[in-house]
Amino acid sequence: MNDPAQVTQRVLFVDMGYSSYQVSIVDYVIGKLVVKATAWDRTLGGRDFDEVIAAWIAGEFKAKHKCDPMENPKARMKLLDTAEKAKKTLSPHGVGEANIYCECLMNDLDFSIKLTLDKFEELIQPLLDRLVAPVDRALEASGTDPKDLAATEICGGGSRVASVKKVLAARLGLDASATNYGLKTTLNADECVSKGCAMQAAMLSPRFKVKEYQIYEATPFGVSLSWDAPSTKPMEGDESDEEVNDSADVLLFPRNGETPSTKRLTFRRGEDFTIKASYADPAQLPDQVSPAI
């Protein structure tokens, strides 16, 4: 019979905030959490839905009044605010349309229009198509079959959109007739990050006593080490010195490897040489990050 303390539950977390989208697969054991894999889309979030709606309203306004409110900063801000309200109106399950009204949108002109759910889903379809790829990458990296997941937890303000839930549920094979399409919403969508930060701060603070709980994150990018002397023989290990190879390049921390972790390298050389640490796969990095560490 399995020891309850050693039973592992694997949970998939989907976090869609205002500007980014992240998927994480986590193993829970009593007293410990281990992140097995992460994947993301850095430029997909709730604001993209707002901008799509705003652009559609602007197009309808321009067709009627021959001027583009997106070119006017004040009118653009009004449009984005109105678009966000329309998105929130259409987010709950069962709502079929949203009435949009912009007072003095541009040139003292008011504008009103109706956005149906079908039109909304048509407008955001290119964004919905981007939801699946990070989920697939996380499942593949962790070697997880969706059937093996104990639960799928969604959080972040952008996850409230019903169309987002529908796409995720379809990819994971969940019951579409269940509440939230079978997805879990244990945490408040907008407060989940704050709650996690508060808990982590309490664990680190000497003023609070928190039950011991270990958290092992995953390294988002692999780190490799190289040096300019192929004859150098590094030795790597956590507990014992075991010779690795004669190569002048070694993958020190693999992607999605457990962290914090320690690696020890021993170099036997009698003269100076250069060591360089860099990200193992620069193609995975965003444009603003240098491959060298």
Side-chain angles (χ1 to χ4, degrees), residues 225 227 232-235 265-269 273 275:
L225 200 68
W227 50 95
T232 301
K233 293 184 178 182
M235 303 181 73
L265 294 176
T266 301
F267 295 90
R268 295 172 178 169
R269 279 300 303 260
F273 64 101
I275 299 176

Side-chain angles (χ1 to χ4, degrees), residues 85-144:
K85 291 177 181 177
K87 178 189 69 176
K88 290 179 177 179
T89 300
L90 291 169
S91 291
H93 179 70
V95 178
E97 61 182 31
N99 292 315
I100 298 172
Y101 177 70
C102 299
E103 184 178 359
C104 295
L105 178 58
M106 188 176 181
N107 299 336
D108 293 328
L109 295 171
D110 298 337
F111 188 68
S112 62
I113 195 171
K114 183 179 294 185
L115 177 61
T116 64
L117 180 60
D118 290 340
K119 183 62 178 180
F120 174 58
E121 292 182 340
E122 177 188 333
L123 293 172
I124 64 173
Q125 189 59 51
L127 302 176
L128 298 177
D129 292 339
R130 293 165 58 184
L131 294 172
V132 176
V135 174
D136 289 341
R137 291 200 302 270
L139 291 172
E140 182 181 359
S142 62
T144 303

